[in-house]
Amino acid sequence: MDLTFSESEEQFRSEVREWLTVNVPKPALPSGDTAPGFALHLEWERKLFDARYSVVSWPSDLGGRDATLWEWLIFEEEYWLANAPQRVTQNGIFLLAPTIFEFGTAEQQRRLLPKMASGEHTWCQGWSEPNAGSDLAGISSRAVRDASAGGWRLAGQKTWTTRGAFCTHLFGLFRTEPEAAASGSRPGRHHSMTYFLVELDQPGVTVRGVERLDGDLGFAEVFFDDVFVPDDMVLGGVNEGWSVAMATTGSERGLTLRSPGRFLATAQRLIELCKERIASGGARDQAVQDRIVQAWIDAEAYRWQTFGTVTRLVDGAKSGAESSMVKLFWSELDVRLQELALELLGPHAELIDGDFAHWMKAYEFALAGPIYAGTNEIQRNVVAERVLGLPRK
Amino acid sequence: MRFEFSQEQFQFRDAVRDVLAKTCQPGDVREAWNNQTGRAPSAWAALHDMGVLAMLAPTEAGGLGLTELDIVLILEETGRCALPEPIVETALIAAPEGWVNGTDSASVSLPESPFGVWTDTCASVVTLTADGVRVAPRESVRLTQRESVDGARRLFAIDMGSTAPIAPVTSTALAFRRGVLGTSAQLLGLADRMIEMTVDYVKEREQFGVKIGTFQAVKHHLANARTKLEFARPLTYRAAASLASRDALASQHVSMAKVQSSDAASLAARVALQCHGAIGYTTECDLHLFMKRSWALERAWGAANWHRRMIAQSLFERL
């Protein structure tokens, strides 16, 4: 066991810190889930890319800097400590990109990844449908082969598509053998889907923004009416979309979507907020303070649990169903952290103008955590069945 | 950065687990509830033979000169089998300081944990107080027996009489941190065992014509307990590393370990009892042996909230 970072890792940390100190926008950018906010965020993404900080762990010829997993964690810690903007590109770089690295051809990687890294292409996720949420394998949007045109024609509807109203591209699952799925026979529900990469600015695509709980147009419904997708925009094999998509859910739940740095930074800010409130004459509430300490311990626990996971990944292990415990833990921790801030703010908590408005915004965002990326009820089933070995039926 | 134990550390852990699986079965723990001493002598002898008792003793004194990091997994195993022996007090606290030797054992008390355990059969009695460490042979102290909910834990209020401190306050702090660490490790093992027992049970027990482990209500209880444990372990291992390297923040790190492992064991015990149903509410079922040990250790060496407040002092120090 060696709990110190190497000299070059510490060097990397101070370079990142220095760059962020100079470059993080002040005051903070408005929400990236509105059209004008999204545009401002893209400018920030471009600045990150130009400094080669947008995708540090990617190969350098694709826009990254070949950072190790440890350096990526260091980058994330510094990023969130610096109060840098939420990444509006996250669903591309954290969810789709790992899948392209694993399943994409070399040509797809060269064609798609640099533009994702620069923010020229922005990606949203097209999984949920009106009748398929937790039961993702129940999707009915479909793709029909158009051999003469060398591609597929999509029809159907996706929903709850985060930032779908602003993104240029969508990655999603479509059924390529609807009869097999309907009959329940082999290849069955899970073996009749294909993973498609779809350009949204084209005939047949209709995007309708949906106002989210926090009032932003952060969701979208995306309708497909005879939308053409060429063969080179199929990721992985035809009818193999389910296993390709499951690789993405692994990243969404586990290591890459919500790094510990994010919660460590929030816990730190919560402690500062508590001190400020007391300094400005607020009453000291021992019970709330105990819960703040617990939330800070939990953020540390997440950090060290991640360090253990990364050590094993570096040793060559594969991440498994443990990622469901990770998703349960950070999503519920996030809610507790933001709730505590609202407790400290008391009657000021409801204000969505002024200096504290970001806490209510963050609370509303945190409440989505136990729902997206597979609800926490589904995660508990996964933990019980695949970590503890309880019977499915 | 490398946050993982070495192959050697895992191998030694596995060897100890094998030995304890033979010498400290639930039947042995039950035996300790009913015998004169409350202890499990064959397990103790086996741990001595394997060198566990002297792992942290200096090599000059015939020990192995190892660290907290080397013993933490072993202590987790002693929790897993609810070993009724003063292993934390002896191997982790007394042996490194030369307060005990050989197969002898030590009993330790302190303001946060005022009762010595198995004190009447220990060679050395140690108290930790604000003015330093006192060590005395058992014969020279006065003991008043108390009864624990855990029938194997023989508790004693200790009167050290006129014994003067032999070690400075810094030794008190180190001994305290070691005790907190060892107790945290045992709680992890207890939590793991209670989850494992319960998983085994719900895979067998049938109601409504199906295994009760197929019910989501049962699955979710166990998933919660397992997740809590997943995020307790790393803080105990990190605290062990901090003690081994004499990290300046080791005190805070052991407090974090104790908070997290106490809460993990507490939840594991509740979930285990609930999922066992009425059979778990009997003393015929082995669960109570592990559950009651957890109840005791959750509060020994500072309960979770006591440690949270210790941490608060450093986090909010500028208030």
Side-chain angles (χ1 to χ4, degrees):
Chain A
M1 207 173 271
D2 170 15
L3 305 193
T4 55
F5 285 110
S6 71
E7 213 168 290
S8 71
E9 286 162 345
E10 291 295 358
Q11 174 66 28
F12 177 67
R13 186 189 288 279
S14 45
E15 280 170 29
V16 171
R17 183 172 294 183
E18 210 169 298
W19 188 86
L20 289 167
T21 306
V22 175
N23 289 287
V24 166
K26 291 184 196 69
L29 298 182
S31 165
D33 294 337
T34 62
F38 189 78
L40 290 171
H41 276 256
L42 278 187
E43 283 176 28
W44 164 248
E45 292 285 343
R46 182 70 204 192
K47 199 168 191 176
L48 278 175
F49 175 71
D50 289 340
R52 285 198 308 128
Y53 283 128
S54 73
V55 286
V56 293
S57 60
W58 292 15
S60 48
D61 60 341
L62 297 173
R65 42 169 85 209
D66 297 296
T68 63
L69 268 177
W70 293 116
E71 288 166 332
W72 178 77
L73 283 172
I74 289 170
F75 176 80
E76 285 280 308
E77 287 187 1
E78 294 301 322
Y79 191 88
W80 296 108
L81 262 184
N83 212 4
Q86 301 269 347
R87 303 290 303 271
V88 294
T89 53
Q90 65 168 27
N91 287 358
I93 60 181
F94 291 157
L95 305 184
L96 173 59
T99 317
I100 293 181
F101 279 116
E102 195 172 338
F103 295 94
T105 63
E107 186 277 325
Q108 285 177 318
Q109 293 178 3
R110 277 194 310 276
R111 174 159 47 91
L112 298 169
L113 291 171
K115 286 179 177 169
M116 187 191 300
S118 69
E120 184 182 337
H121 288 177
T122 47
W123 291 85
C124 57
Q125 177 177 278
W127 282 1
S128 290
E129 297 181 1
N131 293 313
S134 288
D135 184 13
L136 180 60
I139 61 161
S140 58
S141 293
R142 56 188 200 281
V144 177
R145 183 80 188 128
D146 183 345
S148 61
W152 298 79
R153 296 202 169 269
L154 310 184
Q157 180 190 349
K158 296 292 179 181
T159 192
W160 320 138
T161 301
T162 295
R163 286 183 281 276
F166 320 121
C167 284
T168 60
H169 288 71
L170 173 143
F171 58 97
L173 285 178
F174 291 80
R175 208 164 276 294
T176 30
E177 282 194 30
E179 304 74 21
S183 70
S185 66
R186 296 177 72 86
R189 298 207 310 160
H190 293 86
H191 300 281
S192 52
M193 288 176 265
T194 302
Y195 198 123
F196 286 95
L197 306 173
V198 189
E199 201 177 332
L200 290 175
D201 184 15
Q202 64 165 310
V205 177
T206 309
V207 179
R208 186 182 81 85
V210 176
E211 190 174 291
R212 246 175 11 191
L213 185 64
D214 64 358
D216 287 350
L217 213 58
F219 275 156
E221 292 177 306
V222 186
F223 300 88
F224 302 87
D225 180 13
D226 200 29
V227 173
F228 181 71
V229 180
D231 284 329
D232 65 4
M233 292 292 261
V234 171
L235 189 56
V238 171
N239 289 331
E240 287 168 19
W242 182 259
S243 49
V244 178
M246 286 304 104
T248 315
T249 61
S251 353
E252 193 175 18
R253 284 169 199 159
L255 191 60
T256 53
L257 183 67
R258 299 279 181 255
S259 72
R262 194 175 168 121
F263 307 104
L264 289 165
T266 306
Q268 206 57 55
R269 276 192 270 282
L270 187 58
I271 291 166
E272 294 306 319
L273 177 67
C274 182
K275 288 180 181 176
E276 284 164 25
R277 300 302 289 172
I278 294 168
S280 63
R284 188 171 185 153
D285 184 332
Q286 191 71 57
V288 169
Q289 191 172 301
D290 289 341
R291 287 161 59 205
I292 292 174
V293 171
Q294 183 59 52
W296 179 82
I297 295 171
D298 285 335
E300 285 280 322
Y302 182 27
R303 182 179 197 233
W304 288 93
Q305 195 272 352
T306 301
F307 285 0
T309 303
V310 168
T311 301
R312 287 185 285 279
L313 288 176
V314 169
D315 283 352
K318 282 283 226 177
S319 66
E322 286 75 16
S323 67
S324 287
M325 292 193 279
V326 176
K327 196 265 167 169
L328 279 173
F329 192 78
W330 63 246
S331 60
E332 294 183 357
L333 169 59
D334 201 17
V335 174
R336 289 198 298 279
L337 284 163
Q338 317 298 345
E339 261 172 358
L340 281 164
L342 302 187
E343 298 242 4
L344 288 171
L345 292 170
H348 298 273
E350 71 171 301
L351 292 175
I352 56 169
D353 64 8
D355 292 344
F356 301 120
H358 61 95
W359 286 109
M360 179 55 83
K361 185 89 179 166
Y363 175 62
E364 289 179 313
F365 182 75
L367 287 175
I371 299 170
Y372 62 68
T375 65
N376 284 11
E377 287 66 35
I378 296 287
Q379 306 302 342
R380 287 183 169 89
N381 290 350
V382 173
V383 173
E385 289 161 16
R386 302 206 205 139
V387 178
L388 295 173
L390 293 183
R392 292 199 66 174
K393 285 186 176 135
Chain B
M1 178 66 67
R2 190 179 163 73
F3 188 49
E4 184 61 297
F5 292 93
S6 68
Q7 282 309 310
E8 292 74 20
Q9 284 163 336
F10 280 130
Q11 281 162 8
F12 194 40
R13 187 266 320 260
D14 291 346
V16 169
R17 181 184 289 187
D18 289 346
V19 164
L20 289 174
K22 294 188 192 87
T23 58
C24 189
Q25 298 177 10
D28 298 296
V29 181
R30 282 181 186 280
E31 171 66 21
W33 275 60
N34 298 315
N35 68 17
Q36 279 290 311
T37 62
R39 298 178 58 172
S42 57
W44 190 251
L47 291 174
H48 172 260
D49 293 346
M50 294 184 82
V52 170
L53 304 188
M55 278 179 84
L56 271 65
T59 47
E60 311 86 81
L64 300 178
L66 295 172
T67 69
E68 291 85 352
L69 195 51
D70 299 297
I71 203 171
V72 67
L73 290 177
I74 310 293
L75 295 172
E76 194 174 328
E77 292 309 311
T78 66
R80 182 187 309 283
C81 66
L83 177 74
E85 289 287 343
I87 182 77
V88 170
E89 296 89 329
T90 303
L92 187 55
I93 298 173
E97 306 299 330
W99 299 334
V100 73
N101 287 304
T103 60
D104 284 350
S105 47
S107 180
V108 181
S109 78
L110 60 156
E112 289 75 24
S113 232
F115 305 110
V117 195
W118 299 292
T119 320
D120 62 332
T121 51
C122 286
S124 303
V125 181
V126 179
T127 58
L128 311 175
T129 49
D131 61 343
V133 179
R134 289 175 172 75
V135 181
R138 181 190 66 241
E139 295 76 25
S140 68
V141 305
R142 242 188 65 214
L143 303 177
T144 310
Q145 185 155 11
R146 303 296 302 270
E147 273 191 70
S148 169
V149 67
D150 175 354
R153 279 169 65 88
R154 305 298 158 86
L155 300 185
F156 296 90
I158 297 167
D159 178 355
M160 293 295 266
S162 56
T163 308
I166 59 151
V169 174
T170 49
S171 300
T172 309
L174 179 58
F176 177 68
R177 288 165 199 171
R178 283 172 164 160
V180 176
L181 174 75
T183 307
S184 300
Q186 290 190 315
L187 284 162
L188 296 177
L190 284 159
D192 203 15
R193 180 67 172 270
M194 288 187 284
I195 293 169
E196 184 186 294
M197 291 172 74
T198 311
V199 165
D200 288 345
Y201 180 73
V202 303
K203 279 156 83 172
E204 289 303 317
R205 169 74 174 165
E206 289 189 10
Q207 285 292 277
F208 306 102
V210 294
K211 311 288 185 199
I212 63 170
T214 61
F215 296 134
Q216 288 198 355
V218 170
K219 283 179 178 172
H220 290 191
H221 274 319
L222 282 162
N224 288 340
R226 177 64 182 79
T227 303
K228 195 107 176 162
L229 178 59
E230 178 74 10
F231 290 89
R233 276 209 171 98
L235 288 185
T236 293
Y237 300 159
R238 187 268 201 116
S242 295
L243 272 181
S245 66
R246 300 290 179 265
D247 189 299
L249 290 172
S251 168
Q252 189 184 73
H253 299 168
V254 297
S255 283
M256 290 159 76
K258 183 63 166 58
V259 166
Q260 223 62 351
S261 55
S262 290
D263 286 352
S266 172
L267 182 65
R270 284 286 285 116
V271 161
L273 177 58
Q274 190 66 25
C275 294
H276 271 80
I279 186 71
Y281 200 74
T282 69
T283 55
E284 288 173 17
C285 178
D286 289 336
L287 177 62
H288 87 109
L289 303 171
F290 301 91
M291 197 161 57
K292 289 170 180 169
R293 181 66 52 82
S294 292
W295 295 346
L297 295 185
E298 280 163 39
R299 285 91 194 179
W301 296 88
N305 217 38
W306 187 90
H307 284 284
R308 272 190 282 268
R309 299 219 168 149
M310 289 294 107
I311 295 165
Q313 284 177 11
S314 53
L315 287 186
F316 294 90
E317 62 193 354
R318 275 172 292 150
L319 284 179

